[in-house]
Amino acid sequence: MASPVAPAGGTRNGASPEWGGFEENIQGGGSAVIDMENMDDTSGSSFEDMGELHQRLREEEVDVDAAAAEEEDGEFLGMKGFKGQLSRQVADQMWQAGKRQASKAFSLYANIDILRPYFDVEPAQVRSRLLESMIPVKMVNFPQKIAGELYGPLMLVFTLVAILLHGMKTSDTIIREGTLMGTAIGTCFGYWLGVSSFIYFLAYLCNAQITMLQMLALLGYGLFGHCIVLFITYNIHLHALFYLFWLLVGGLSTLRMVAVLVSRTVGPTQRLLLCGTLATLHMLFLLYLHFAYHKVVEGILDTLEGPNIPPIQRVPRDIPVAGLPIAVLNATSKAVALTLQPH
Amino acid sequence: MMQPQQPYTGQIFQPTQAYTPSTPQSFYGNNFEDEPPLLEELGINFDHIWQKTLTVLHPLKVADGSIMNETDLAGPMVFCLAFGATLLLAGKIQFGYVYGISAIGCLGMFCLLNLMSMTGVSFGCVASVLGYCLLPMILLSSFAVVFSLQGMVGVILTAGIIGWCSFSASKIFISALAMEGQQLLVAYPCALLYGVFALISIF
């Protein structure tokens, strides 16, 4: 009969010592019964047995380690015996509780998935929203619709960062306390998040119907005008052109945002407060961005176009060789003097 | 069916050690001939690296979504070092900037792609794709060693290279994450990231 012996192969959860069939075959125990299943280790049926063997070897290792650890007198922070064990248990429990709290808080607040619905957009939608952000709509009796998405505004803020970086690099701006990248990111994100929060707070005071997400989206899309103006005027340095664009393009995007807010606010004072604040901040930001990172370029242009002075010119010094004794002059002056002497 | 039994050559009442389990992992170190090749152990597969490089260099070649399943950072590491080396040839010691911008850029793309795709994406995959698509930027910075990029030719060349890099990266991302119709939305942030690298090359 070549049928495999069932019991040894059938045990799955670590054979109990009473069976002994599998174990004793491996360890060469005193049984004369040979498990036919284990004779041929290339057959598929020994796969589970190999797995069991792995498990057993691993458990043995763990047991050995645990025994070794316990043999070290069971000390815990210098306290032996019962006190040590008790303190170890308390420390373990505290650790587990702390870990549980931390992971609960993390999964609640740092769950990035709550932002997932705001990034679900199509390219055509983004394009149409970009264009619409430059077109003010005159309907003020009913609340105007605001697209509640964050992809477009986030990309516009990053574009503004890139344009600022480009402008700073072309104008050789030197930032002493910090880096160019840090300054650009801080300025743009600070404006977007800070002014959105401030206007949202004012909207709360003025009882306007707008949520934080809508405010972020509105202001984000309003930066499209800023991107256009800065992109053009960082490359074409004409003051008149900048003021024209500031009024036209900046004004259009501000009007759009103002119209939306007016349609969502009741009462003339509240409307004036809210929209006046937003318009002022938005237009002044564009002015600031242009002039803060553009001054250096202006400086260089003035020097170059001044009265016929090339930027750097080496003029040979006129050293009065005849009037002074040679010993007073240093080596450089001596060399220069020698070259300047009439040949 | 029963396999033919070998004749039992031992003795009935003497146990014989007939079964020696050969575990695949623990016995590897024993035999020199049994060890896998070093590159296989390190996970560096030159053929796959070459395939991915070709995918980046041919902008019109259709990307295979499965090539990005294995996270391979050896190629991107080489490309970043080569980029830093070409910048060094132009007199700019900016390895720190390359490292910082690539780390922040990978983190940003990782967050964005996780938010935009139905299936998630691992950080290693994002870093690997962005690293491979840095290859055309190396061409730009080696061009900048000899010629200045601040004229009109430089602007056009830079724009072309940025477009090439971001097109390849977005092509691989959308084929790996099955995000049809959103290639432009993925390409734009890649273009911004490679634009910052281009700024380092130019100035």
Side-chain angles (χ1 to χ4, degrees):
Chain A
M1 276 295 290
S3 60
V5 178
T11 51
R12 289 279 170 266
N13 315 323
S16 51
E18 296 88 75
W19 289 106
F22 186 80
E23 249 178 308
E24 288 172 19
N25 269 346
I26 303 306
Q27 295 164 3
S31 163
V33 176
I34 297 162
D35 193 358
M36 303 298 272
E37 240 182 298
N38 299 328
M39 288 291 291
D40 180 14
D41 62 346
T42 58
S43 73
S45 63
S46 62
F47 177 75
E48 287 95 2
D49 297 323
M50 272 172 59
E52 245 184 341
L53 174 68
H54 277 295
Q55 184 66 28
R56 193 151 314 130
L57 286 176
R58 227 174 288 134
E59 275 166 15
E60 276 175 358
E61 271 179 47
V62 169
D63 286 339
V64 163
D65 286 342
E70 273 171 14
E71 269 173 56
E72 293 168 4
D73 213 4
E75 262 192 34
F76 181 73
L77 293 180
M79 291 180 288
K80 302 189 186 179
F82 177 66
K83 243 204 276 186
Q85 289 205 8
L86 188 62
S87 20
R88 186 189 292 128
Q89 274 186 6
V90 169
D92 272 340
Q93 275 178 357
M94 278 179 62
W95 171 252
Q96 294 296 332
K99 210 160 81 158
R100 242 179 291 129
Q101 289 272 39
S103 54
K104 239 197 303 182
F106 183 76
S107 62
L108 193 62
Y109 291 113
N111 194 4
I112 206 172
D113 276 339
I114 54 176
L115 294 177
R116 204 176 260 268
Y118 309 134
F119 284 84
D120 187 16
V121 285
E122 305 281 318
Q125 284 177 326
V126 177
R127 199 182 315 130
S128 64
R129 284 169 193 168
L130 282 175
L131 292 175
E132 279 166 11
S133 73
M134 302 298 294
I135 303 171
V137 175
K138 244 191 130 195
M139 175 182 74
V140 294
N141 298 321
F142 293 103
Q144 291 184 25
K145 193 172 178 318
I146 306 177
E149 56 132 328
L150 287 177
Y151 175 84
L154 196 65
M155 287 305 120
L156 280 170
V157 174
F158 277 124
T159 309
L160 195 60
V161 170
I163 294 176
L164 270 186
L165 266 177
H166 176 68
M168 287 198 277
K169 281 289 193 183
T170 45
S171 66
D172 286 330
T173 305
I174 301 170
I175 307 272
R176 296 192 192 282
E177 306 277 332
T179 63
L180 285 182
M181 181 75 123
T183 311
I185 290 183
T187 309
C188 297
F189 270 94
Y191 175 76
W192 183 44
L193 296 171
V195 173
S196 293
S197 317
F198 180 61
I199 300 291
Y200 177 67
F201 166 68
L202 280 185
Y204 172 75
L205 290 181
C206 300
N207 218 9
Q209 305 290 320
I210 195 165
T211 65
M212 183 65 187
L213 171 73
Q214 287 172 331
M215 193 58 229
L216 282 171
L218 191 67
L219 194 64
Y221 274 114
L223 288 176
F224 182 51
H226 283 26
C227 289
I228 297 177
V229 175
L230 289 174
F231 184 66
I232 296 176
T233 55
Y234 274 163
N235 295 316
I236 308 175
H237 314 287
L238 284 176
H239 262 323
L241 185 70
F242 168 70
Y243 283 122
L244 185 69
F245 272 119
W246 178 63
L247 280 175
L248 264 179
V249 180
L252 272 179
S253 72
T254 311
L255 266 179
R256 156 93 181 158
M257 292 197 295
V258 158
V260 169
L261 279 181
V262 162
S263 74
R264 286 166 172 259
T265 317
V266 179
T269 320
Q270 289 92 329
R271 282 177 173 178
L272 189 63
L273 174 69
L274 200 56
C275 302
T277 316
L278 180 62
T280 315
L281 287 172
H282 204 63
M283 299 294 274
L284 284 181
F285 184 57
L286 183 53
L287 219 57
Y288 164 74
L289 283 180
H290 178 83
F291 285 110
Y293 303 114
H294 208 59
K295 234 182 349 190
V296 188
V297 179
E298 294 245 278
I300 293 178
L301 280 176
D302 272 342
T303 318
L304 286 177
E305 288 163 15
N308 294 336
I309 300 177
I312 298 172
Q313 202 173 43
R314 304 185 113 233
V315 179
R317 277 188 309 168
D318 219 5
I319 296 182
V321 180
L324 291 167
I326 289 288
V328 178
L329 302 172
N330 64 12
T332 316
S333 310
K334 278 187 213 164
V336 172
L338 281 172
T339 54
L340 280 182
Q341 268 173 10
H343 359 289
Chain B
M1 291 302 295
M2 294 299 151
Q3 298 180 16
Q5 301 289 331
Q6 288 178 358
Y8 178 58
T9 52
Q11 298 172 359
I12 289 259
F13 289 113
Q14 309 291 329
T16 44
Q17 190 93 4
Y19 175 60
T20 7
S22 56
T23 55
Q25 257 93 33
S26 57
F27 284 17
Y28 246 147
N30 282 3
N31 219 350
F32 182 68
E33 282 89 33
D34 284 346
E35 281 179 9
L38 177 66
L39 285 181
E40 193 181 304
E41 258 192 73
L42 290 174
I44 299 176
N45 187 340
F46 275 127
D47 187 49
H48 276 206
I49 292 180
W50 183 239
Q51 285 302 315
K52 290 185 211 176
T53 310
L54 282 182
T55 308
V56 170
L57 286 179
H58 293 175
L60 300 176
K61 179 176 170 183
V62 176
D64 183 15
S66 63
I67 60 173
M68 287 301 158
N69 276 345
E70 37 186 65
T71 302
D72 163 39
L73 287 176
M77 206 70 73
V78 166
F79 290 158
C80 281
L81 284 174
F83 184 61
T86 49
L87 287 178
L88 194 63
L89 281 177
K92 304 170 199 164
I93 310 175
Q94 286 170 343
F95 286 94
Y97 280 118
V98 172
Y99 174 67
I101 291 172
S102 48
I104 297 180
C106 286
L107 192 65
M109 276 311 288
F110 168 68
C111 292
L112 189 69
L113 284 177
N114 265 320
L115 287 171
M116 282 175 68
S117 67
M118 302 304 296
T119 66
V121 62
S122 71
F123 185 76
C125 172
V126 173
S128 177
V129 172
L130 289 177
Y132 271 108
C133 296
L134 194 62
L135 186 57
M137 199 57 64
I138 298 177
L139 291 174
L140 182 73
S141 58
S142 26
F143 187 82
V145 172
V146 188
F147 305 103
S148 164
L149 286 176
Q150 300 202 18
M152 184 50 73
V153 174
V155 169
I156 296 177
L157 186 67
T158 309
I161 297 269
I162 293 176
W164 185 4
C165 291
S166 46
F167 184 74
S168 304
S170 59
K171 177 182 64 168
I172 300 177
F173 275 133
I174 61 167
S175 68
L177 300 174
M179 291 163 62
E180 290 86 15
Q182 289 186 315
Q183 181 162 8
L184 272 181
L185 297 184
V186 177
Y188 188 67
C190 295
L192 287 178
L193 175 65
Y194 289 121
V196 177
F197 279 116
L199 269 181
I200 306 178
S201 302
I202 302 176
F203 293 102

